Amino acid sequence: MSSTDILFKPFKIKSLELANRIVMAPMTRSMAPAGFPGAANAAYYKRRAEGKVGLILSEGTVIDRPASRNDFNIPFFHGEEALAGWKGVIDAVHEAGGKMGPQIWHTGSVTSFMTDWVPDVAVESPSALEGPDKPRGKAMSDEDIADTIAAFAKAAADAKRLGFDVAEIHGAHGYLIDQFFWDGTNHRDDNYGGKTIAERSRFAVETIAAVRKAVGPDFPIIIRLSQWKQQDYAARLATSPAEMESWLAPMADAGVDIFHCSQRRFWEPEFPEIDGEDGLNFAGWAKKITGAATISVGSVGLSGDFIGSFSGEEVSNAGIDKLLTRMERDEFDLVAVGRALLSDPNWVAKVQNGNGDKVETFTPASLGELV
Ligand SMILES: Cc1cc2nc3c(=O)[nH]c(=O)nc-3n(C[C@H](O)[C@H](O)[C@H](O)COP(=O)(O)O)c2cc1C
């Protein structure tokens, strides 16, 4: 076995069969003009399918709510015109032999750091907060919550109808669903708030249950989660395995098949006080606790994390031995790669063919072009 073989073992869950373990991480590109994906977006994703990415996750694409996005060029995942654009995307990816799911998103009350554009109606969130002690927009009513859950379910049903292979719900990074999870932004005293992470997970659990009902039993559902928030990189929702279980298990019961555990650096242990500095990462603990499949992510093949890339920090290529070791230990099932696939659509094929040293190095300039 060559040392990268573990990455190229097929993977199957429900109706989804993947040729390898590599996932393209969801990356907002803000290049769907006015919210409508077109031929350039289809060509961009098709190139990664031609480059042998096992599963492509789209950039975050938003549900049918009045203020569900924070950038004018973030794509809609609703309405005839946008969905026709997405149909062009999935058909192009399938033509190249790829598999793909949209990342279904609501940005909550988070302001974009890429643009001054704001929606023309008030943004919504659990407690009218963008972050701790940072008021913005309006707190959601029961009706807003019910409509939002229905809009997530509708988007997932549309994903399946258009021919996508899977759907990912964006529950990470401080956006709407994460604003419910986090006590820094959820001060509600109704059924959607509470002192414990289990109580604050109710919005996510109801969303997942509605999505499951909309797509049927065999269509895989992924949820992306993170401990860190863009509002606070040190924030944590689960500070022990028991707390993590109370957070994740109800979501697995509601219908999640795969937990996509977002870290900025995949090699960082989640609970080093329990299993040491080389201990399980977030995806490792999520798999151990729930028995569900998991995806890890964070600086694969690169020397520095993605937050630095937004402020123009250069990175260099780095080896993937630590990743292979964790995968050989069966710590998690799949691994997502972000920036490395922006700079080099053929990253997967090069790694598979032993040409890892020929990978194009990511530069922050890649963020400005859709190629
Ligand atoms: C340009 C850019 C846009 C991103 N947009 C999203 C997004 O829409 N949804 C999401 O969950 N994560 C997003 N992320 C985070 C990535 O999915 C990924 O977790 C992160 O880049 C770490 O992977 P990497 O180190 O391999 O780049 C984005 C990252 C980048 C660089």
Side-chain angles (χ1 to χ4, degrees):
M1 246 172 86
S2 81
S3 62
T4 61
D5 283 0
I6 188 78
L7 280 173
F8 296 96
K9 271 173 59 181
F11 176 79
K12 181 170 179 356
I13 193 162
K14 293 189 169 171
S15 57
L16 180 69
E17 287 184 45
L18 304 179
N20 63 53
R21 304 297 177 114
I22 299 159
V23 177
M24 179 174 177
M27 282 177 287
T28 292
R29 305 308 316 275
S30 302
M31 292 193 208
F36 303 106
N41 308 86
Y44 160 78
Y45 287 115
K46 184 179 186 183
R47 239 170 255 131
R48 275 73 193 173
E50 288 166 346
K52 306 281 179 231
V53 172
L55 173 66
I56 296 171
L57 293 174
S58 80
E59 61 209 284
T61 172
V62 300
I63 61 167
D64 189 7
R65 287 290 293 162
S68 58
R69 58 184 193 154
N70 63 4
D71 182 321
F72 186 61
N73 296 314
I74 283 177
F76 298 117
F77 205 80
H78 59 89
E80 216 173 299
E81 187 179 348
L83 292 179
W86 282 114
K87 173 89 178 117
V89 171
I90 188 57
D91 287 352
V93 165
H94 282 164
E95 225 174 81
K99 301 281 165 80
M100 181 170 185
Q103 189 192 48
I104 303 172
W105 193 21
H106 184 314
T107 56
S109 57
V110 174
T111 315
S112 169
F113 56 90
M114 320 252 288
T115 171
D116 293 333
W117 182 88
V118 288
D120 52 14
V121 297
V123 294
E124 60 184 0
S125 65
S127 303
L129 292 168
E130 178 169 7
D133 305 318
K134 202 171 167 199
R136 182 165 186 243
K138 61 165 193 159
M140 291 166 81
S141 66
D142 282 352
E143 191 184 351
D144 292 329
I145 288 177
D147 289 352
T148 302
I149 290 172
F152 270 107
K154 171 79 168 50
D158 282 335
K160 183 178 175 193
R161 180 174 59 80
L162 294 179
F164 283 95
D165 304 284
V166 59
E168 173 166 289
I169 300 167
H170 193 344
H173 304 171
Y175 294 106
L176 183 70
I177 292 176
D178 206 13
Q179 291 185 321
F180 276 90
F181 287 139
W182 191 24
D183 59 4
T185 44
N186 183 346
H187 298 171
R188 298 179 74 96
D189 52 17
D190 64 2
N191 284 335
Y192 294 95
K195 279 204 173 57
T196 65
I197 179 64
E199 290 166 301
R200 297 190 305 274
S201 296
R202 178 169 167 174
F203 177 73
V205 169
E206 288 188 3
T207 299
I208 293 158
V211 166
R212 172 55 70 209
K213 194 163 169 220
V215 298
D218 209 36
F219 188 78
I221 300 173
I222 308 174
I223 189 159
R224 197 169 218 222
L225 302 170
S226 64
Q227 297 260 31
W228 65 272
K229 322 285 157 228
Q230 60 193 296
Q231 298 93 326
D232 178 0
Y233 297 139
R236 297 188 84 194
L237 300 175
T239 56
S240 66
E243 220 172 18
M244 188 174 277
E245 183 169 5
S246 73
W247 179 30
L248 304 185
M251 290 194 266
D253 291 345
V256 163
D257 299 297
I258 307 178
F259 289 99
H260 188 172
C261 301
S262 171
Q263 290 181 272
R264 290 161 59 197
R265 304 169 200 88
F266 75 85
W267 57 86
E268 290 181 348
E270 192 58 42
F271 300 118
E273 64 282 10
I274 297 174
D275 55 4
E277 289 306 319
D278 190 35
L280 298 176
N281 69 10
F282 179 16
W285 275 102
K287 185 175 170 70
K288 181 179 162 119
I289 284 171
T290 63
T294 61
I295 308 176
S296 190
V297 64
S299 304
V300 171
L302 296 172
S303 63
D305 89 303
F306 81 105
I307 301 295
S309 297
F310 287 118
S311 51
E313 263 173 38
E314 299 289 342
V315 290
S316 47
N317 288 342
I320 57 169
D321 288 357
K322 280 187 191 157
L323 172 72
L324 298 170
T325 306
R326 283 178 185 267
M327 293 194 78
E328 269 155 16
R329 293 200 297 237
D330 204 22
E331 189 173 326
F332 40 81
D333 301 274
L334 302 167
V335 66
V337 175
R339 290 161 299 156
L341 276 170
L342 292 185
S343 47
D344 196 337
N346 294 312
W347 189 90
V348 177
K350 286 182 184 172
V351 168
Q352 184 167 26
N353 297 330
N355 291 321
D357 55 333
K358 300 202 175 61
V359 163
E360 303 288 336
T361 307
F362 171 82
T363 64
S366 324
L367 298 178
E369 50 187 23
L370 194 72
V371 289

